C-alpha cells in the first residue's frame, strides 16, 4: 500500500514518528491503551486518518491529538463528520462505504511549537496528495 511504504521511507528520513510510536497509534485507535497511555498524545502534532481500502487519507493537525482523534471518531460513528458548508465530508462518505475497520489513525509528526502546526499540516497534505486524491477538501 502507498501509505505504509511512504511512511516507512519517511521514517528513514527522520520526518515522522518512530515505528514504535506508529504501533502505539494503532493501539490508541483500537482502544487497547489505558487513559494514562493517552497522555502521550496530549501534545501538538500532525496526524493522518488513512483508508487502507481506497489508499487515501485525511491529514489534520491539533494542539492535542488525543482529543482531536476522539472528536473525529465520534463524528464519523454518528454520521456527522461535516464540511464547513454543513454537508457530509468526503471522509464520512468513505467511512460509510468502507466501514470503520478500513481506517487507521497515525501520528506522522510531533511538533514542538504550536506555531508550525499549520505549515506542517500543509506540507503533509501536499506530500500525501490528500487534497486532490484524499479527504482534505
Amino acid at each position: 500500500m502507498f501509505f505504509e511504504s511512504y511512511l516507512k521511507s519517511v521514517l528513514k528520513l527522520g520526518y515522522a514518528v518512530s515505528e514504535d510510536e506508529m504501533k502505539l497509534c494503532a493501539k490508541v485507535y483500537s482502544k487497547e491503551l489505558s487513559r494514562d497511555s493517552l497522555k502521550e498524545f496530549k501534545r501538538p502534532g500532525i496526524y493522518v486518518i488513512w483508508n487502507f481500502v481506497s489508499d487515501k487519507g485525511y491529514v489534520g493537525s491539533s494542539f492535542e491529538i488525543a482529543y482531536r482523534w476522539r472528536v473525529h471518531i465520534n463524528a464519523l460513528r454518528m454520521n456527522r463528520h461535516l464540511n464547513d458548508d454543513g454537508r457530509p465530508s468526503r471522509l464520512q462518505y468513505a467511512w460509510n462505504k468502507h466501514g470503520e475497520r478500513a481506517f487507521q489513525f497515525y501520528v506522522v509528526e510531533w511538533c514542538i511549537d504550536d506555531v508550525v502546526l499549520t505549515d506542517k499540516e500543509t506540507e503533509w497534505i501536499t506530500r500525501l496528495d490528500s487534497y486532490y486524491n484524499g479527504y482534505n477538501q
Side-chain angles (χ1 to χ4, degrees):
M1 294 280 203
F2 167 76
F3 183 67
E4 288 178 324
S5 60
Y6 180 78
L7 255 186
K8 287 178 183 172
S9 67
V10 168
L11 283 168
K12 290 176 186 171
L13 296 173
Y15 288 120
V17 297
S18 70
E19 287 193 50
D20 288 339
E21 285 179 310
M22 284 174 54
K23 290 176 187 170
L24 190 62
C25 292
K27 288 182 179 179
V28 167
Y29 184 82
S30 63
K31 296 186 176 180
E32 293 175 20
L33 293 180
S34 66
R35 282 197 180 274
D36 291 337
S37 300
L38 284 174
K39 289 177 186 174
E40 176 69 20
F41 293 89
K42 290 187 176 185
R43 54 184 173 149
I46 311 302
Y47 61 89
V48 174
I49 302 171
W50 196 259
N51 180 341
F52 286 97
V53 174
S54 68
D55 213 24
K56 295 180 180 181
Y58 173 87
V59 176
S61 64
S62 178
F63 299 113
E64 185 182 313
I65 289 179
Y67 170 77
R68 190 68 184 118
W69 174 78
R70 286 191 303 272
V71 169
H72 277 297
I73 202 77
N74 288 336
L76 288 163
R77 286 177 177 164
M78 294 171 45
N79 201 28
R80 292 198 171 129
H81 198 275
L82 307 175
N83 287 328
D84 293 336
D85 62 5
R87 292 182 299 140
S89 67
R90 291 168 76 186
L91 182 59
Q92 184 69 63
Y93 284 118
W95 182 276
N96 293 347
K97 180 179 180 179
H98 301 290
E100 186 172 341
R101 290 183 174 262
F103 292 84
Q104 189 67 42
F105 177 87
Y106 290 98
V107 176
V108 290
E109 188 168 354
W110 295 114
C111 297
I112 298 169
D113 192 337
D114 298 348
V115 177
V116 300
L117 274 178
T118 305
D119 293 338
K120 293 290 185 179
E121 180 181 14
T122 302
E123 283 178 31
W124 278 98
I125 288 170
T126 302
R127 281 181 191 164
L128 297 175
D129 191 27
S130 65
Y131 187 83
Y132 297 107
N133 191 30
Y135 307 123
N136 282 95
Q137 220 176 26

